[in-house]
Amino acid sequence: MSVAENVASAKSARQPLSSRLSANEVKSFVDRESLRRQSNKVLHGHPSPMYWKPLSDSVESLLEKRNGFAQQQDFSVNLYVGTPFCLKTKPARCGFCLFPSEDYRGNAGVEDYIDVLEKEFKFYKPYYAKDTLSSIYFGGGTPNLYHAEHYGRLMSFVDGLYGGVPDDIEITLEGIPQLFNEEKLRAIKNAGFNRISMGVQQLNEKLVKYSGRKQNNEQVFQALEISQKLDLASSIDLIYGWPEQTMDDMLNDLKIAVQAGVHHLTHYELNVAGRSDFASRQKRALLPSIQTNIEMYHRANDYLRSQGFEQVTVYDWKKVKTSPVAERLGRYDYEHNMHHFVEHDEGVVNNTQQICGIGFAAVNFHANGAGVQDENWSYMNHTSLDKYAAKVKEGKFPVDRGFRYEHSDVKLAWLFQSMQTMKINHVDYGNIFHENLLLEYGAVWEELENRQWIRLSETHVEFVGDGQYYIPMIQALVAKNRLAELRAASKDKLDSIAVTIE
Ligand SMILES: C[S@@+](CC[C@H](N)C(=O)[O-])C[C@H]1O[C@@H](n2cnc3c(N)ncnc32)[C@H](O)[C@@H]1O
Ligand code: SF4
């Protein structure tokens, strides 16, 4: 049924059409926002932590309730372990980064952090020990800044909490090229990691200098080569829309990456926001136009497809499966598991996938029902290292703020996750949430269909053409009224923050 037919049938059945967004509202939002730089590119959970507040309940009581749910269903956990430190750069924070981090404080600072982290792991023993791990991600910050001898100890915290780690799960460690030397990669492998994720950003050595990072391509190639030798899966992050970057620069970066034999890569559009150096007037003047960025998105996709890569989300790509080994090397379970954090099986709704976060700025996401029981929440650890460490040393959970999901928020969180995959299964949405997605956002789909940004089928809303590029904007559109409510309810000034929450 087309959107128009769906809308007509709803009218004739006297079902109230959603009052959330009118056709005019949708059109003016898209007209206005599609001309602006979008600023929530790397952040695609609902709602952004800028809407979270100090928790009203104690963390212990939330975890007790979660233990109650764990009696009814098995939780699969994607464990995130945070690292605060980064090498100091000029401009600060690599000029573009919006993730929380702190300048490296030497080995004493690192050792102190690891001790504190160990303590926090122990706080969770009564709550997480029975969960099954489905992926592990050590992110940051710069987790390859630890010394080689630290990795085994870090992994022992995970073993201690979960009583071991399943053999076949993905265990990733993130880092920067210049710190992935052979000694460290061996230690990382020996500690049990099976995948590295390397932030490269630019392979044009002149352009990468804008970030102040002291990195060269030789270090990137060496890290990839050693990883391949050690049978560590490796993924690299690249950014397009960088100051002064041309189409040729971008295509050249992708070519180099493909030739270096990566099986997985992320290709993010530069997110320009906050007080970062790249958001300054001087750097903004050097940015490619939005129109150029859209062309870059399409040209990059054409190129990667021509090289045997398959697009998994708006920004991540894996080598098309050619063998079980290639399949393993191309996966990115930590992120992909969360795309279906609520599922249904013959009418029974399951919330199988959760995020458990431990460490600096780590986020927890616990879904204990598709909104019915109203017991879904996220919470986040302190993004100041001193506050984080002080709380843990006092014997308290170092949680800074959190968010309890209402039914409408769970639906939006689910929609955001689906949109990352560039298609929404509206039949699943109906089965899980007992609402008709096509009617609920009728005006949105009509507008997007007119622009040829989506294709509708019996089962899916599929994003096509520029519709894919605009997914972050469309996420903001479907959440528009709910975010306005949350803004109105917040007395504090909302600050922009990026975290690794999927
Ligand atoms: C947590 S970050 C940092 C990982 C590592 N410390 C590094 O710098 O390579 C993970 C990835 O997010 C991406 N990222 C961070 N800030 C971004 C921004 N402002 N715009 C686009 N991508 C960004 C980068 O590609 C980065 O590698
Ligand atoms: S991009 Fe990476 S190294 Fe740079 S500040 Fe952000 S987390 Fe640290």
Side-chain angles (χ1 to χ4, degrees), residues 92-154:
R93 299 198 173 159
C94 299
F96 62 85
C97 183
L98 306 172
F99 286 85
S101 65
E102 303 246 354
D103 287 341
Y104 177 58
R105 299 177 181 183
N107 198 41
V110 168
E111 299 267 352
D112 188 44
Y113 177 70
I114 296 177
D115 289 344
V116 173
L117 191 63
E118 180 173 26
K119 244 181 184 300
E120 196 199 353
F121 264 91
K122 288 186 178 151
F123 293 170
Y124 281 100
K125 187 83 186 172
Y127 307 106
Y128 286 170
K130 287 205 293 285
D131 295 342
T132 306
L133 283 167
S134 52
S135 71
I136 304 174
Y137 196 96
F138 277 65
T142 308
N144 69 335
L145 182 147
Y146 297 112
H147 287 180
E149 64 270 19
H150 289 140
Y151 295 100
R153 182 160 175 229
L154 288 166

Side-chain angles (χ1 to χ4, degrees), residues 331-376:
R331 70 193 205 183
Y332 183 13
D333 295 347
Y334 178 74
E335 174 139 336
H336 299 163
N337 285 344
M338 291 308 291
H339 291 150
H340 307 285
F341 71 88
V342 185
E343 289 180 322
H344 75 99
D345 185 13
E346 299 191 358
V348 180
V349 173
N350 284 312
N351 307 278
T352 49
Q353 298 289 337
Q354 310 220 341
I355 295 175
C356 292
I358 301 184
F360 171 83
V363 167
N364 282 267
F365 175 68
H366 299 162
N368 297 321
V372 186
Q373 292 119 322
D374 198 19
E375 287 296 349
N376 304 289

Side-chain angles (χ1 to χ4, degrees), residues 203-463:
L203 283 157
N204 178 319
E205 290 187 353
K206 176 176 157 249
L207 295 186
V208 83
K209 289 202 168 68
Y210 280 131
S211 67
R213 288 155 71 113
K214 297 196 172 55
Q215 150 192 333
N216 60 49
N217 289 359
E218 203 40 48
Q219 293 156 337
V220 176
F221 301 142
Q222 267 185 14
L224 290 174
E225 209 177 297
I226 300 163
S227 306
Q228 283 155 11
K229 189 170 80 184
L230 297 175
D231 194 29
L232 276 166
S234 46
S235 174
I236 67 170
D237 297 338
L238 291 172
I239 293 181
Y240 71 96
W242 189 268
E244 261 184 8
Q245 189 186 31
T246 65
M247 186 72 78
D248 283 346
D249 293 327
M250 181 204 73
L251 288 170
N252 202 37
D253 279 12
L254 291 174
K255 197 168 159 190
I256 298 173
V258 169
Q259 282 173 354
V262 292
H263 281 77
H264 183 271
L265 63 89
T266 56
H267 197 228
Y268 295 113
E269 182 183 7
L270 180 70
N271 194 5
V272 188
R275 277 172 296 190
S276 63
D277 178 64
F278 283 21
S280 67
R281 199 189 300 195
Q282 204 187 4
K283 286 284 162 52
R284 271 180 187 269
L286 302 177
L287 296 174
S289 69
I290 311 243
Q291 199 47 44
T292 305
N293 279 7
I294 296 178
E295 283 164 30
M296 284 180 161
Y297 173 80
H298 291 303
R299 290 285 297 278
N301 292 5
D302 291 345
Y303 174 73
L304 288 169
R305 218 165 271 125
S306 77
Q307 298 302 307
F309 279 75
E310 177 188 330
Q311 188 173 15
V312 189
T313 64
V314 179
Y315 51 78
D316 87 89
W317 292 80
K318 69 172 182 183
K319 197 94 199 251
V320 174
K321 182 168 117 177
T322 45
S323 66
V325 174
E327 177 68 5
R328 173 172 61 78
L329 294 175
R331 70 193 205 183
Y332 183 13
D333 295 347
Y334 178 74
E335 174 139 336
H336 299 163
N337 285 344
M338 291 308 291
H339 291 150
H340 307 285
F341 71 88
V342 185
E343 289 180 322
H344 75 99
D345 185 13
E346 299 191 358
V348 180
V349 173
N350 284 312
N351 307 278
T352 49
Q353 298 289 337
Q354 310 220 341
I355 295 175
C356 292
I358 301 184
F360 171 83
V363 167
N364 282 267
F365 175 68
H366 299 162
N368 297 321
V372 186
Q373 292 119 322
D374 198 19
E375 287 296 349
N376 304 289
W377 63 84
S378 284
Y379 59 84
M380 179 181 188
N381 281 351
H382 280 286
T383 53
S384 139
L385 178 54
D386 289 342
K387 284 190 187 156
Y388 164 79
K391 278 273 176 203
V392 176
K393 285 177 184 170
E394 276 172 44
K396 294 189 178 138
F397 283 100
V399 170
D400 177 35
R401 49 175 136 173
F403 185 80
R404 185 186 188 118
Y405 291 70
E406 298 203 351
H407 187 59
S408 58
D409 297 310
V410 185
K411 288 181 358 185
L412 285 168
W414 189 94
L415 270 182
F416 273 41
Q417 286 294 336
S418 293
M419 284 191 203
Q420 289 309 121
T421 70
M422 302 169 299
K423 55 180 190 297
I424 310 168
N425 186 326
H426 56 79
V427 178
D428 279 352
Y429 186 86
N431 283 326
I432 294 170
F433 299 111
H434 307 295
E435 280 187 70
N436 184 331
L437 181 76
L438 298 183
L439 297 179
E440 213 181 335
Y441 294 102
V444 172
W445 312 131
E446 262 186 272
E447 177 67 27
L448 301 186
E449 210 181 26
N450 287 341
R451 290 178 184 256
Q452 300 184 329
W453 286 1
I454 56 166
R455 254 197 310 261
L456 287 155
S457 72
E458 294 286 308
T459 51
H460 285 89
V461 177
E462 189 190 347
F463 291 81

